[in-house]
Amino acid sequence: MNGDSKRGTSEGELAHGCEGYIHDAMTVIVIGASGDLAKKKTYPALFTLYLKGFLPKGIKIFGYARSDRTDEWLRERIKPYLEKDEPGSGEELEEFLKLCVYRRGQYGSAETMGKLTEECSKFEKEMMSSIKCAKANRLFYFAIPPSVYADVAGAIRKAGVATDGWTRMIIEKPFGHDLESAEVLSKRLASLFTEDYIFRIDHYLGKEMVQNMLVLRFGNVFFEPLWNNKYIDCVYISFKEPFGTEGRGGYFDSSGIIRDVMQNHLLQALSLFAMEPPTSIEDGASVRNEKVKLLNSIQPIKLQDVVVGQYVGSKDGKKPGYKDDETLKNKDSITPTFCSMILRICNGRWDGVPFIMRAGKALNQRKAEIRVQFRKVPGATAMFNSYIPRNELVIRLQPNESVFMRTNVKAPGLMTHPTQNELDLTYKNRYGNVDNPGAYSRLLLEVMRGNQGPFVRKDELRRAWEIFTPLLKELEEKKVKPVPYEYGGRGPKEADQLAIKAGYDERTLNLRLKAGPRDNRKGGQYTAQEFDVYVEKST
């Protein structure tokens, strides 16, 4: 699925497993087409698939929303975002825009949905006749608030289901606000459709390095013997954004960093990292079964294993604090913009290994990664008469996707002096300008193929909320005040103390702090001077 085939080439179609739908007719209905998500993510993802030859020739894309707009308005609205994602597409861009039309309707109305699908049916029959196909498939993308998911699904059930092919619905997060609301939404959807109709999308599951995790883990013989509590001391999963709420404080205050990032994105990354081997990565049920088994092994989160924070203005006064956001009505808000917590998995593979999950806004860099710290080498300090830093395997999810291993080697020269360096696979260095489509394009393709593996199943969603809802309620009921931290810093110092308490090696952490962010260092390496000063102070 690297997107390297050209439009219309049958070899590329077969090689990438899209033969199940590529010769059928298809209508795509983008519900909420007038919103930001549709213009920034949905339409650009569809355009990428169009350019790569992954959309059927007999396709039409209907935008559907409540606003009174025209086809031309929609095309002008989405065009800059298509050009940004795929510059230089020229004639193909214009051809794609001709496929995109706009229709007005109420989200929960079976009547207006019926008028739309009557037009879809007319187009589908024309295509089935002209391209000689037996099926016409229908894909609905919910680019709308969760509050109207069930109403729209009800309208589709009454008036929108395809009669000559499959019907699939892509539903965006958030899937509820807590366990209770998620259960209500799931039951309403389940009363209308079975799970094979529903694709709950979490775009993190479409990221290159998240998908690469399965190959990295299960495609290399030397990793599996090490992937357990005998060799791994702790796992550090972090997410950092260098900006604050930036005018979205009103929305963010109702969710907070735990609901916004940790309960979904980071938990998905953790489950893929730690699950047992599936029967096949092409078998969506097998992958999701193993993820649910792993989630069922996660123990309740203790408040003593949690640090929450909220950013304040930067030292120079140029960046405002969270409570300075004009859209934030509650100026006494205790909603966390930062959280660090310890998760513990009670099974044979991971018992005793702390999983440190950390996420925050208004920090010093943009980064999401999984950092695996291995146990110390027995007897090495005495053998070399020197401190030997921990080995670490780092899977950088974004940006600058990479996999690198921090290894101890002999420093160049006449003396046997251990130093640490990196075995580095940075994708942009290794693969150059190889086209690497975005997460939404990958996931849309999987929907068309009918592969539900990279999507969130109902029982998986329930278990995720079971893990986090008790903590969220405890934080809210006890009115736990977040620790203030400066905009542009690393976050609260208490978070580092929590990581060290959990088992992350303090000397390794000090070395990382001294060297600064890896992206700021040439080649991502520590200099000899940095390492020497660190070793001198640590021994």
Side-chain angles (χ1 to χ4, degrees):
M1 293 190 302
N2 56 9
D4 56 358
S5 69
K6 299 297 182 183
R7 179 163 175 76
T9 58
S10 58
E11 289 183 6
E13 293 163 4
L14 295 172
H16 294 287
C18 59
E19 65 275 11
Y21 71 87
I22 199 72
H23 300 297
D24 300 333
M26 182 182 291
T27 49
V28 177
I29 299 94
V30 181
I31 302 173
S34 60
D36 280 356
L37 177 63
K39 73 178 181 181
K40 292 179 180 178
K41 299 295 183 183
T42 312
Y43 280 102
L46 287 166
F47 183 45
T48 295
L49 294 180
Y50 174 81
L51 291 177
K52 308 304 177 189
F54 288 114
L55 294 187
K57 292 181 179 178
I59 189 172
K60 193 167 187 177
I61 303 169
F62 291 85
Y64 182 79
R66 294 175 295 194
S67 307
D68 187 8
R69 306 296 185 185
T70 64
D71 295 351
E72 195 56 39
W73 174 87
L74 175 67
R75 291 164 184 161
E76 288 300 316
R77 178 174 173 80
I78 65 176
K79 187 175 181 179
Y81 296 91
L82 307 185
E83 292 173 327
K84 179 181 177 182
D85 271 26
E86 301 286 351
S89 45
E91 293 181 8
E92 290 171 309
L93 171 60
E94 296 303 320
E95 290 300 315
F96 176 79
L97 288 171
K98 291 177 184 177
L99 302 176
C100 302
V101 297
Y102 182 89
R103 300 293 180 264
R104 183 187 183 188
Q106 296 302 310
Y107 290 147
S109 170
E111 181 183 355
T112 52
M113 179 63 70
K115 290 179 181 178
L116 170 65
T117 52
E118 279 180 18
E119 188 175 351
C120 293
S121 297
K122 181 180 179 181
F123 168 78
E124 290 162 357
K125 288 176 181 177
E126 291 174 356
M127 287 298 101
M128 290 170 73
S129 174
S130 64
I131 65 176
K132 310 298 182 186
C133 66
K135 292 178 65 178
N137 303 312
R138 204 168 284 175
L139 173 60
F140 293 88
Y141 196 110
F142 286 37
I144 49 178
S147 58
V148 293
Y149 284 172
D151 293 338
V152 171
I156 294 171
R157 176 80 272 178
K158 291 177 181 177
V161 177
T163 56
D164 297 304
W166 50 252
T167 299
R168 292 170 186 159
M169 298 176 295
I170 301 175
I171 299 178
E172 277 276 354
K173 81 170 189 74
F175 315 118
H177 187 74
D178 53 19
L179 178 59
E180 183 180 356
S181 59
E183 287 281 76
V184 169
L185 177 58
S186 291
K187 286 177 181 177
R188 290 192 67 186
L189 292 175
S191 70
L192 299 166
F193 292 99
T194 55
E195 277 290 295
D196 55 315
Y197 285 84
I198 300 169
F199 292 72
R200 298 175 188 84
I201 189 171
D202 183 330
H203 73 272
Y204 250 59
L205 289 171
K207 286 186 174 294
E208 175 70 27
M209 295 309 296
V210 174
Q211 294 197 340
N212 186 38
M213 221 175 322
L214 296 178
V215 180
L216 186 71
R217 272 201 63 187
F218 303 121
N220 293 290
V221 69
F222 52 86
F223 275 134
E224 182 59 23
L226 305 177
W227 218 262
N228 54 60
N229 51 14
K230 294 181 178 65
Y231 294 96
I232 292 177
D233 214 10
C234 67
V235 180
Y236 202 121
I237 304 174
S238 62
F239 173 94
K240 302 172 77 172
E241 286 183 334
F243 49 84
T245 51
E246 313 295 335
R248 293 176 65 248
Y251 164 78
F252 185 86
D253 205 54
S254 64
S255 56
I257 197 70
I258 299 174
R259 289 184 175 94
D260 196 43
V261 175
M262 303 177 88
Q263 180 270 342
N264 37 67
H265 299 331
L266 298 193
L267 192 63
Q268 289 294 331
L270 182 153
S271 61
L272 286 173
F273 172 90
M275 73 182 193
E276 295 299 313
T279 304
S280 167
I281 64 169
E282 293 296 325
D283 179 1
S286 174
V287 174
R288 300 202 290 186
N289 287 344
E290 295 303 333
K291 287 169 66 182
V292 172
K293 288 179 187 176
L294 186 281
L295 293 177
N296 284 334
S297 298
I298 295 179
Q299 301 300 291
I301 304 168
K302 299 177 181 178
L303 191 58
Q304 67 194 49
D305 289 336
V306 177
V307 171
V308 291
Q310 188 183 89
Y311 69 89
V312 296
S314 58
K315 275 185 179 180
D316 58 12
K318 294 181 179 179
K319 294 292 185 179
Y322 176 68
K323 293 179 182 178
D324 298 323
D325 192 314
E326 294 179 357
T327 64
L328 182 65
K329 295 179 180 179
N330 179 16
K331 297 304 181 182
D332 295 320
S333 171
I334 56 173
T335 297
T337 60
F338 175 98
C339 181
S340 183
M341 65 176 65
I342 311 301
L343 281 77
R344 304 183 190 278
I345 301 172
C346 188
N347 64 18
R349 185 185 291 268
W350 297 114
D351 191 22
V353 177
F355 281 73
I356 304 165
M357 188 182 285
R358 176 171 170 151
K361 302 182 77 68
L363 298 175
N364 59 341
Q365 65 178 138
R366 176 175 177 252
K367 182 177 74 172
E369 70 179 23
I370 300 175
R371 182 175 293 265
V372 184
Q373 185 170 97
F374 293 92
R375 294 188 178 279
K376 64 181 181 180
V377 182
T381 299
M383 181 187 300
F384 295 103
N385 194 28
S386 174
Y387 171 70
I388 303 296
R390 299 292 186 91
N391 297 124
E392 291 188 335
L393 173 69
V394 182
I395 304 168
R396 173 68 69 86
L397 306 180
Q398 67 176 31
N400 300 325
E401 293 88 347
S402 57
V403 180
F404 57 94
M405 173 74 87
R406 299 211 59 81
T407 57
N408 297 309
V409 297
K410 175 188 172 298
L414 296 174
M415 305 299 290
T416 303
H417 176 60
T419 188
Q420 192 169 76
N421 220 304
E422 293 176 356
L423 301 176
D424 181 13
L425 170 60
T426 297
Y427 269 49
K428 67 180 181 181
N429 296 337
R430 175 63 180 85
Y431 298 111
N433 295 321
V434 170
D435 187 19
N436 192 11
Y440 279 88
S441 296
R442 296 169 189 274
L443 294 175
L444 274 169
L445 176 59
E446 295 301 337
V447 174
M448 294 176 190
R449 294 180 63 203
N451 176 20
Q452 290 192 307
F455 297 87
V456 181
R457 199 166 63 189
K458 181 170 63 175
D459 56 343
E460 184 182 347
L461 173 64
R462 181 192 309 117
R463 180 57 191 150
W465 278 119
E466 285 175 348
I467 293 168
F468 282 93
T469 296
L471 171 66
L472 289 165
K473 285 187 175 180
E474 189 172 7
L475 288 169
E476 291 162 4
E477 288 172 358
K478 292 183 177 179
K479 300 188 185 303
V480 177
K481 291 187 177 180
V483 179
Y485 65 95
E486 289 182 5
Y487 194 122
R490 292 191 70 254
K493 293 180 180 179
E494 289 84 347
D496 289 335
Q497 294 165 3
L498 177 67
I500 293 167
K501 176 185 172 184
Y504 191 79
D505 184 61
E506 185 173 6
R507 288 180 169 184
T508 304
L509 177 62
N510 289 337
L511 174 57
R512 286 175 54 202
L513 295 181
K514 181 174 285 295
R518 180 177 187 264
D519 292 346
N520 297 344
R521 304 194 304 273
K522 185 177 180 181
Q525 310 298 341
Y526 299 133
T527 66
Q529 290 81 6
E530 286 171 340
F531 188 82
D532 286 342
V533 168
Y534 162 68
V535 170
E536 182 181 340
K537 289 190 175 183
S538 299
T539 53

